[in-house]
Amino acid sequence: MDENTRRQKTTRRMIQVLVTTVLQAAILFAFAGRLDWVWGWGYVGVYLGGILANALILTRINPNVIAERADTAGVRSWDTLVGGVFALAYFIGLPVIAGLDVRSSWTVDMLLGLHLIGV
């Protein structure tokens, strides 16, 4: 893969990840019904930290991996199905349920240690 193509695909992947993260955070806080949810911001921060660490490591070790993840050509149909189900559950289902839990107080207050283990 030439440098220009790799740079374009990497930029596209970064935009995909950024948009997905913003949408996931928007869903999380919309269903929580508030923006002052500290643990929600903690989740978003840890998620962004993981993405940043991943990007920094991959750009040094194998920058083509990031570019290849932006391209869906040649993906098998079963893999698209599994990935789609995972994406719905993780990027939509998880923030919807977590947000509703905060709004409706389904779970009781947890100890700080349990929160930190969950993060």
Side-chain angles (χ1 to χ4, degrees):
M1 177 180 318
D2 68 36
E3 182 67 23
N4 190 36
T5 302
R6 184 178 61 79
R7 191 168 286 148
Q8 287 175 343
K9 287 184 175 187
T10 300
T11 301
R12 186 170 80 200
R13 180 62 180 160
M14 292 165 92
I15 291 169
Q16 289 170 342
V17 170
L18 181 62
V19 168
T20 301
T21 304
V22 168
L23 287 174
Q24 187 179 26
I27 292 168
L28 183 68
F29 290 106
F31 278 86
R34 54 188 250 213
L35 290 172
D36 64 342
W37 178 28
V38 174
W39 288 107
W41 287 111
Y43 171 77
V44 172
V46 168
Y47 187 75
L48 287 173
I51 290 169
L52 180 61
N54 188 350
L56 291 173
I57 291 168
L58 285 177
T59 53
R60 292 178 187 258
I61 295 174
N62 188 355
N64 289 333
V65 170
I66 296 172
E68 290 169 6
R69 289 182 181 176
D71 196 5
T72 58
V75 176
R76 295 184 176 128
S77 60
W78 66 266
D79 202 9
T80 302
L81 176 66
V82 171
V85 169
F86 173 81
L88 286 173
Y90 184 77
F91 295 112
I92 296 174
L94 185 140
V96 165
I97 292 171
L100 288 174
D101 178 36
V102 168
R103 179 180 284 197
S104 303
S105 300
W106 290 337
T107 55
V108 295
D109 290 335
M110 293 171 130
L111 298 172
L112 177 62
L114 292 176
H115 271 291
L116 294 175
I117 289 169
V119 171

